[in-house]
Amino acid sequence: MDPFAHIRITPPFATIGALWSDRVQKLGAKTYLHYDNRSWSYAAFDTAAGQTAGIIKNLGAKKGDHVAVLIPNSVEFLYAWFGSMKGGFTAVTINTLLKAEELEYILNDSDAEILVTTPQLRKSLEAVWPRLTKLRHTILTAPDDNYPTAKILGAEMERSAVFAYTSLTASDKASMIYTSGTTGHPKGVVLNHGNILYDSYVCHQLIDLAEADTALCIMPLFHVNAQIASMMATLWAGASVVLEEGFKPRSFIDTLKKYRCTTFSGVPTIYNFLNELKEAEGQDLSFLKACICGAAPMPVEVFNKFEEKFKGKIVEGYGLSEGTCVSSLNPMHGKRKIGSIGLSIPGQEMGIVSANINDTNVFLADGEIGEIVIKGPNMMTGYYKKDEANKTTIIDGWLHTGDLGQRDSEGYYYITGRKKEMIIQGGENIYPKEIEEVLYKYEPVSECAIVGIPDKSYGEVVGAFIILKEGASAEAKDIRTYLREKIANYKMPKVRYRKIRLSSNTPGVKNENQRDSRRVALCRRGRRARLRRNARRHAHVF
């Protein structure tokens, strides 16, 4: 029996604005959002988002124009995100953990002319601001005397009329999110209204989210996980959502109980942390319908310990930004297979193809390991301005995920590895080449390689393998200081294998250096297993 047979796959609305209009008409007085001890009804929030759309329109934005949203979890983020999409603009949501040079690339590449951000994050852009030549307007979430020409969101909302673009279609752009890239720079994943509506419509049904429920959102809103599995799924269900600034371990249980939350989405790191939290001993969370887990593989022991300790039900799945969010899920009702990422969601196709053939799809039989591919209405329209990347990622209509896996005889999928050179640290995707390119700009470095090191708490941490130039000198603290200004803190190498100074004149050193150079080369070719064994044997804190 198909556990997903009851799932409807065709959304009754074509645009996010149309969905909002329906919810306001039917549930206008009902609470949609709780945040920072305040609450917003569906009607009040929709008005605020419409006013934000009006602000953007008044700044000269036209249909499809890109609006950069650089805001931590807050109601202001949601105003800008929903407001942009309702107004017919494209919301470009940006990771707030990135450093100035990383943000510079994304802001310029995205062609955004309007930036909505906080005074603190605006200040963090000061060093690169003269190079952000495409930005024309800044909207701040709070006043700041240092930026007298910036618009202030709250003040502008008070005098802005509600605006919504009424002639949109499902194929119109809605949002763009940047995902870390194997070529050294992140790529903008373009999602249209149809992508977002389909994936969240199916998602809310898969987790039985209903009007009486309350969801808890602790994941970053700049990621699709929070956008789709928390905010949009809640909207479809006509439910309520509690938004937190992030995962707050000490108050997490109290928040769940205060609002009687019935679902939340997290990464394995969060579940592992809760398992080890002494303050959580004896807590019964059996009122939770679904504890969703994605973004990284869930260790079986973490899964079992959480369910045994808290009596909550974990629903593990799989997805990626290029697939809007959710691509597979273990069924709520029916067979759950621990360690599996579940079944392909209804309306989407999923398969396994040979990972050794790059220009065509050779589908493999059950039990054979290959690359996971997906095809369906959740598949991105493409990477922004990256024609070559689109050609190699979307082949004959199938999106190549870069993840390796296999399917069993009952249709359940399992992740076995990654074709891409990617590290997943606490749910954050980190691509080695991006960090390597920054390291190569550091004068003392001759060769380097970045590799994931297994870690109990985070799944993986970033390890750096560095060979110094002949005569060069650099300690771990020097490299850290250099990297701290160039990359986000979560990308910072936590472990190093060894530092080698190249010198052909020192007896016995040449062969040692050749061995280390080979290790670097092996890393670049993806032979990560051997490096991991060596790293675990020799690594120490960076």
Side-chain angles (χ1 to χ4, degrees):
M1 181 179 177
D2 180 4
F4 293 160
H6 65 290
I7 302 296
R8 301 179 303 278
I9 63 174
T10 304
F13 305 104
T15 68
I16 292 162
L19 172 59
W20 263 109
S21 296
D22 179 82
R23 291 299 175 263
V24 170
Q25 181 182 359
K26 295 176 179 176
L27 304 165
K30 185 182 190 310
T31 297
Y32 169 64
L33 175 69
H34 300 283
Y35 171 72
D36 194 25
N37 295 316
R38 294 180 292 166
S39 299
W40 287 259
S41 68
Y42 272 82
F45 185 89
D46 182 64
T47 297
Q51 290 170 323
T52 305
I55 298 169
I56 296 168
K57 176 179 178 290
N58 291 339
L59 291 175
K62 302 291 190 297
K63 176 188 173 184
D65 283 356
H66 295 177
V67 179
V69 181
L70 181 64
I71 308 175
N73 279 19
S74 63
V75 68
E76 290 83 6
F77 178 102
L78 294 175
Y79 288 162
W81 186 58
F82 276 121
S84 295
M85 296 188 295
K86 281 167 57 69
F89 316 115
T90 305
V92 182
T93 58
I94 304 176
N95 189 330
T96 57
L97 303 177
L98 300 179
K99 296 297 176 69
E101 290 186 4
E102 297 168 308
L103 293 170
E104 175 191 355
Y105 174 82
I106 290 174
L107 287 167
N108 283 332
D109 183 73
S110 71
D111 295 320
E113 295 185 351
I114 297 173
L115 169 65
V116 192
T117 190
T118 66
Q120 294 83 359
L121 286 166
R122 168 61 183 86
K123 184 177 181 181
S124 74
L125 291 168
E126 207 63 49
V128 300
W129 193 258
R131 300 197 293 271
L132 300 178
T133 56
K134 298 179 182 180
L135 286 178
R136 296 190 299 112
H137 302 285
T138 302
I139 303 173
L140 295 179
T141 58
D144 192 309
D145 293 339
N146 292 310
Y147 310 108
T149 61
K151 304 291 184 182
I152 308 305
L153 183 61
E156 295 296 322
M157 287 172 65
E158 291 179 2
R159 50 180 175 262
S160 174
V162 171
F163 174 69
Y165 199 98
T166 56
S167 300
L168 296 173
T169 68
S171 61
D172 282 316
K173 290 188 301 182
S175 74
M176 186 160 73
I177 184 167
Y178 273 79
T179 182
S180 295
T182 54
T183 57
H185 283 301
K187 299 185 289 292
V189 174
V190 180
L191 301 175
N192 61 32
H193 285 259
N195 294 146
I196 293 172
L197 288 173
Y198 158 75
D199 207 52
S200 54
Y201 182 61
V202 169
C203 176
H204 96 275
Q205 297 175 72
L206 290 172
I207 60 173
D208 287 352
L209 197 60
E211 196 174 311
D213 287 320
T214 298
L216 174 61
C217 179
I218 56 176
M219 298 293 284
L221 285 170
F222 52 73
H223 279 328
V224 291
N225 188 313
Q227 293 173 9
I228 304 301
S230 295
M231 306 314 302
M232 285 298 302
T234 298
L235 182 60
W236 271 116
S240 301
V241 60
V242 179
L243 176 64
E244 292 277 82
E245 294 170 352
F247 175 51
K248 301 175 181 178
R250 307 299 174 190
S251 62
F252 178 76
I253 303 294
D254 290 340
T255 301
L256 286 175
K257 289 186 170 181
K258 176 182 177 180
Y259 293 99
R260 207 64 182 172
C261 299
T262 50
T263 183
F264 75 94
S265 182
V267 296
T269 303
I270 290 175
Y271 290 95
N272 186 55
F273 195 100
L274 290 170
N275 284 345
E276 304 303 322
L277 191 65
K278 291 183 179 179
E279 290 87 344
E281 295 294 336
Q283 297 286 352
D284 186 344
L285 303 181
S286 57
F287 57 84
L288 284 166
K289 276 186 180 180
C291 306
I292 306 167
C293 183
M298 168 76 94
V300 173
E301 61 271 21
V302 175
F303 188 112
N304 289 331
K305 186 173 182 178
F306 181 88
E307 290 205 337
E308 181 180 348
K309 182 175 182 177
F310 295 108
K311 313 302 185 231
K313 187 174 186 178
I314 292 177
V315 182
E316 190 173 6
Y318 166 81
L320 65 166
S321 301
E322 290 88 338
T324 304
C325 181
V326 185
S327 283
S328 68
L329 203 67
N330 272 277
M332 285 276 292
H333 309 289
K335 184 183 293 186
R336 281 188 307 158
K337 293 190 177 183
I338 299 175
S340 162
I341 57 172
L343 302 164
S344 175
I345 63 173
Q348 174 210 255
E349 296 178 75
M350 200 168 186
I352 304 291
V353 301
S354 173
N356 300 318
I357 303 174
N358 295 321
D359 56 355
T360 189
N361 298 317
V362 177
F363 287 88
L364 303 180
D366 292 344
E368 293 189 68
I369 294 175
E371 184 176 6
I372 297 174
V373 293
I374 64 169
K375 181 180 184 180
N378 55 327
M379 195 175 79
M380 67 172 181
T381 63
Y383 294 121
Y384 184 60
K385 301 189 303 188
K386 299 290 187 291
D387 292 341
E388 287 304 313
N390 288 329
K391 290 176 183 177
T392 57
T393 303
I394 302 174
I395 300 174
D396 294 333
W398 289 86
L399 175 74
H400 286 237
T401 66
D403 293 309
L404 301 178
Q406 60 183 333
R407 181 185 58 236
D408 69 17
S409 59
E410 295 182 289
Y412 287 75
Y413 286 81
Y414 299 81
I415 297 287
T416 60
R418 286 187 292 277
K419 183 179 179 181
K420 298 177 180 177
E421 284 298 313
M422 184 172 72
I423 300 164
I424 299 182
Q425 177 175 284
E428 291 285 356
N429 293 348
I430 301 169
Y431 282 94
K433 187 168 178 60
E434 186 178 359
I435 304 174
E436 288 170 1
E437 288 194 0
V438 174
L439 277 170
Y440 273 116
K441 294 177 182 177
Y442 187 48
E443 182 60 30
V445 172
S446 172
E447 294 189 69
C448 68
I450 297 296
V451 63
I453 308 297
D455 181 83
K456 180 180 178 181
S457 298
Y458 291 94
E460 289 181 297
V461 294
V462 179
F465 295 67
I466 298 170
I467 297 175
L468 298 180
K469 294 176 182 176
E470 183 176 356
S473 176
E475 298 301 322
K477 63 180 182 180
D478 302 319
I479 297 170
R480 264 212 198 95
T481 299
Y482 166 75
L483 288 175
R484 196 168 287 123
E485 296 183 354
K486 304 292 183 181
I487 62 173
N489 291 342
Y490 70 86
K491 300 176 186 177
M492 184 70 69
K494 304 293 192 300
V495 173
R496 69 181 168 94
Y497 180 72
R498 67 194 304 165
K499 274 200 330 285
I500 300 295
R501 289 179 178 82
L502 290 174
S503 173
S504 58
N505 299 322
T506 306
V509 171
K510 185 175 181 181
N511 289 337
E512 181 79 7
N513 289 332
Q514 287 174 340
R515 285 197 296 273
D516 281 281
S517 294
R518 284 197 295 272
R519 289 186 182 112
V520 170
L522 288 173
C523 179
R524 288 176 183 156
R525 292 202 300 269
R527 293 175 63 179
R528 298 157 62 86
R530 177 178 173 183
L531 279 174
R532 281 176 170 166
R533 287 195 297 270
N534 288 336
R536 294 184 74 178
R537 189 181 306 122
H538 300 292
H540 56 281
V541 176
F542 191 97

